[in-house]
Amino acid sequence: MDKPFIVALDFASKEEVRTFLQLFSDTSLFLKVGMELYFQEGPAMIDELKQKGHHIFLDLKLHDIPHTVKQAMKGLAKLGVDLVNVHASGGSAMMRAAIEGLEEGTPHGMSRPRCIAVTQLTSTSEQVLRDELLIDRPMKETVVHYASLAYRSGLDGVVCSAQEVPLLRASFGTSFITVTPGIRFAGDNADDQVRIVTPYEAKQLGTNYIVIGRSVTKAYDPYAAYERLKREWDGGQ
């Protein structure tokens, strides 16, 4: 997991994935497989991507009673993915159960997948937090609190906006990883994201990994967009 860029495979079929990845035939990528793709193609898609040498973030955001999450994680651990996640709002018992499931399910001789917790989705605004979720604390305070639950539950890090990374670094140090969606190039459409930053801003804020989807996958030239991503991360234009 040394690559800081996670490309979101927001496709509905393996055919679309194969077409996209043909552009990167000489490159090992860190890929995010989310619900849209996994629920259509299942574990076979994970195996195919692994066979091509890619790292995989399986983004299913588990959120259920502790026993169910533990059993699900036991199964997911067998897939050999690098990163999985849960919703921190499921509580500390659920998060601890997720780690137990991963440890029990990881085949002998392999490292268990890292497990991170979603704090608040980058599509969630302060207004939604207050008016719909009935959380009367500011976004940043809520994110730090959920991250604290994840940290104390033994998780490896969190999903958050890059805007919240400095606060988390101050509270939990550098070994607690941050994975930050909501990444857009300057001038790109925000789509359904709210708390967004550019790749360069995300690096300056100190995040470990950025997740980028449509700015690359829907670009006229995805390979060129990925190269732009790398340049901007390094401070270039």
Side-chain angles (χ1 to χ4, degrees):
M1 285 176 47
D2 57 336
K3 299 177 186 299
F5 320 117
I6 303 177
V7 178
L9 294 180
D10 295 325
F11 302 112
S13 70
K14 59 180 178 292
E15 289 78 18
E16 292 175 273
V17 172
R18 289 168 180 166
T19 298
F20 173 74
L21 290 179
Q22 282 177 355
L23 303 170
F24 299 88
S25 58
D26 60 344
T27 307
S28 172
L29 299 173
F30 198 164
L31 301 171
K32 182 176 82 71
V33 175
M35 288 182 275
E36 179 182 10
L37 180 59
Y38 188 77
F39 290 163
Q40 300 297 322
E41 301 293 349
M45 187 77 258
I46 302 298
D47 187 60
E48 179 174 326
L49 295 172
K50 284 180 56 187
Q51 292 298 323
K52 295 182 181 300
H54 301 299
H55 296 285
I56 301 169
F57 169 23
L58 185 55
D59 177 28
L60 299 183
K61 301 182 181 73
L62 300 189
H63 187 170
D64 213 309
I65 63 172
H67 175 76
T68 298
V69 169
K70 178 179 179 178
Q71 296 304 111
M73 284 298 189
K74 284 176 68 174
L76 295 182
K78 295 178 173 62
L79 300 179
V81 298
D82 300 277
L83 188 64
V84 294
N85 60 357
V86 297
H87 268 290
S89 56
S92 55
M94 186 204 74
M95 287 189 277
R96 289 193 298 269
I99 297 296
E100 291 171 5
L102 289 172
E103 290 176 343
E104 291 181 19
T106 299
H108 181 71
M110 294 179 60
S111 299
R112 73 157 175 83
R114 282 181 167 182
C115 185
I116 57 178
V118 177
T119 52
Q120 289 294 330
L121 299 172
T122 47
S123 59
T124 299
S125 65
E126 293 274 3
Q127 182 179 0
V128 169
L129 194 73
R130 181 183 65 250
D131 296 344
E132 297 185 19
L133 304 183
L134 300 183
I135 296 175
D136 61 1
R137 302 294 182 89
M139 178 67 73
K140 290 183 177 180
E141 184 178 340
T142 302
V143 167
V144 171
H145 175 66
Y146 281 15
S148 178
L149 286 178
Y151 182 81
R152 297 199 307 267
S153 300
L155 269 68
D156 301 294
V158 291
V159 180
C160 62
S161 165
Q163 297 169 6
E164 291 121 22
V165 168
L167 285 172
L168 301 185
R169 285 282 171 267
S171 298
F172 311 112
T174 58
S175 61
F176 194 62
I177 66 172
T178 54
V179 177
T180 54
I183 304 299
R184 292 289 188 272
F185 294 128
D188 279 0
N189 193 323
D191 298 307
D192 51 0
Q193 299 283 10
V194 175
R195 300 183 343 267
I196 61 174
V197 299
T198 66
Y200 180 69
E201 288 169 339
K203 184 178 182 180
Q204 294 303 109
L205 289 165
T207 195
N208 298 104
Y209 302 95
I210 58 175
V211 179
I212 190 162
R214 284 165 281 193
S215 289
V216 169
T217 59
K218 304 301 183 186
Y220 175 76
D221 185 341
Y223 189 88
Y226 186 75
E227 291 299 306
R228 176 185 176 184
L229 169 64
K230 293 193 291 185
R231 289 195 307 273
E232 291 198 9
W233 177 264
D234 291 330
Q237 299 299 320

